[in-house]
Amino acid sequence: MIDLAPLAWAALGLAAVTIGISKTALPGGSILAIALFATVLPARTSTAAMLLLLIVGDVFALITYRRHAHWPTLLRLAPAVLAGLLAGFAFLALAGDGIVRRAIGVILLAMIAVTLWRRWRQNRADATAPTPGSLVLSGVYGTLGGFTTMVANAGGPVMSMYFLATRTPVQVFLGTSAWFFAVINLVKIPFLAGLGLFEGQVLLMDAVLAPLVVIGALAGIRLAKRMDQVLFDRIVIVLTIAGAVYLLF
């Protein structure tokens, strides 16, 4: 077991619950978990450890929203996402832990900027979305989503932006996202395993944290329609900015 202080375990426990909630109630909320994991653990280790917990959350997302996926969208994104995954893998293989740590911080700040810009666009009544399903749009977002999810498991905000840009209905958004990340996270396993990141200590730690992901996912299903999402999102944004800035120094 990785030797961590009680406060560090508390942070990882909070991150695990957040992963579960984000998968079933608050898409993009896992960005807080990314910051917490990368703050407590070495950057490359945090990416591997969090991936396995995300897969646990993916199971509940699929159970809840699997029937609403739009498969043509997934197929259109696939080539660009694969290119992004390969670029992210090369970055992880070549970059040192300190560079990866700072890269995660930069990615998190960029994702926060994307999220805030997206909401600003939503609040403008005269905002006009790009043409749904264009190859350029899917290429840009797919590549960036593949890279960020490989390096920092931070593809959620990127893909949320894509689904918003293509005016995807809510249920289709949730179902397509569930399948997208379930498939992508499984594809990432052999890449990270090839880098030797799934050590015994990581697997044991994830075994301890996995029940908290389940608790978060079940709570998310029950609270999806009751939770004050505006307040939650503001807390996530503030804490994530703090975590990202911490990782940069």
Side-chain angles (χ1 to χ4, degrees), residues 137-196:
L137 195 67
S138 60
V140 171
Y141 282 101
T143 303
L144 184 57
F147 181 85
T148 54
T149 194
M150 175 61 80
V151 174
N153 297 308
V158 176
M159 300 318 299
S160 294
M161 186 66 192
Y162 172 77
F163 291 128
L164 175 70
T166 54
R167 297 186 181 275
T168 304
V170 174
Q171 289 297 313
V172 177
F173 168 94
L174 293 172
T176 307
S177 294
W179 279 107
F180 177 86
F181 287 108
V183 173
I184 290 301
N185 287 335
L186 289 176
V187 169
K188 287 157 57 178
I189 289 179
F191 286 96
L192 297 187
L195 296 176

Side-chain angles (χ1 to χ4, degrees), residues 18 21 26 29 227-237:
T18 302
I21 294 175
L26 297 168
M227 190 177 301
D228 185 345
Q229 185 167 341
V230 173
L231 176 60
F232 181 87
D233 287 354
R234 288 175 180 173
I235 294 174
V236 168
I237 288 172

Side-chain angles (χ1 to χ4, degrees), residues 111-123:
M111 295 305 97
I112 287 294
V114 168
T115 300
L116 293 177
W117 182 78
R118 183 189 70 189
R119 289 172 185 171
W120 174 75
R121 291 275 295 178
Q122 283 179 312
N123 291 333

Side-chain angles (χ1 to χ4, degrees), residues 3-240:
D3 186 18
L4 296 173
L7 184 59
W9 275 110
L12 293 180
L14 174 61
V17 173
T18 302
I19 288 172
I21 294 175
S22 72
K23 287 293 183 178
T24 56
L26 297 168
S30 60
I31 195 169
L32 170 60
I34 297 168
L36 290 172
F37 263 82
T39 299
V40 172
L41 301 173
R44 287 152 56 98
T45 301
S46 74
T47 298
M50 190 173 170
L51 174 60
L52 300 179
L53 298 179
L54 287 169
I55 291 173
V56 174
D58 287 333
V59 173
F60 290 89
L62 288 176
I63 291 173
T64 308
Y65 304 114
R66 65 186 184 280
R67 295 187 179 92
H68 302 288
H70 186 250
W71 289 99
T73 295
L74 292 172
L75 294 175
R76 184 166 53 246
L77 287 167
V81 171
L82 179 59
L85 287 172
L86 293 175
F89 173 72
F91 180 79
L92 282 176
L94 298 175
D97 196 72
I99 295 176
V100 173
R101 176 186 171 93
R102 290 178 176 83
I104 293 175
V106 172
I107 289 171
L108 288 174
L109 289 176
M111 295 305 97
I112 287 294
V114 168
T115 300
L116 293 177
W117 182 78
R118 183 189 70 189
R119 289 172 185 171
W120 174 75
R121 291 275 295 178
Q122 283 179 312
N123 291 333
R124 291 187 59 188
D126 60 342
T128 302
T131 302
S134 72
L135 292 178
V136 173
L137 195 67
S138 60
V140 171
Y141 282 101
T143 303
L144 184 57
F147 181 85
T148 54
T149 194
M150 175 61 80
V151 174
N153 297 308
V158 176
M159 300 318 299
S160 294
M161 186 66 192
Y162 172 77
F163 291 128
L164 175 70
T166 54
R167 297 186 181 275
T168 304
V170 174
Q171 289 297 313
V172 177
F173 168 94
L174 293 172
T176 307
S177 294
W179 279 107
F180 177 86
F181 287 108
V183 173
I184 290 301
N185 287 335
L186 289 176
V187 169
K188 287 157 57 178
I189 289 179
F191 286 96
L192 297 187
L195 296 176
L197 298 181
F198 292 123
E199 300 177 346
Q201 292 181 330
V202 171
L203 298 178
L204 184 57
M205 180 183 65
D206 278 349
V208 172
L209 295 174
L212 295 178
V213 177
V214 175
I215 292 173
L218 294 175
I221 293 172
R222 292 177 62 90
L223 300 176
K225 296 183 179 180
R226 305 176 186 177
M227 190 177 301
D228 185 345
Q229 185 167 341
V230 173
L231 176 60
F232 181 87
D233 287 354
R234 288 175 180 173
I235 294 174
V236 168
I237 288 172
V238 170
L239 292 180
T240 303

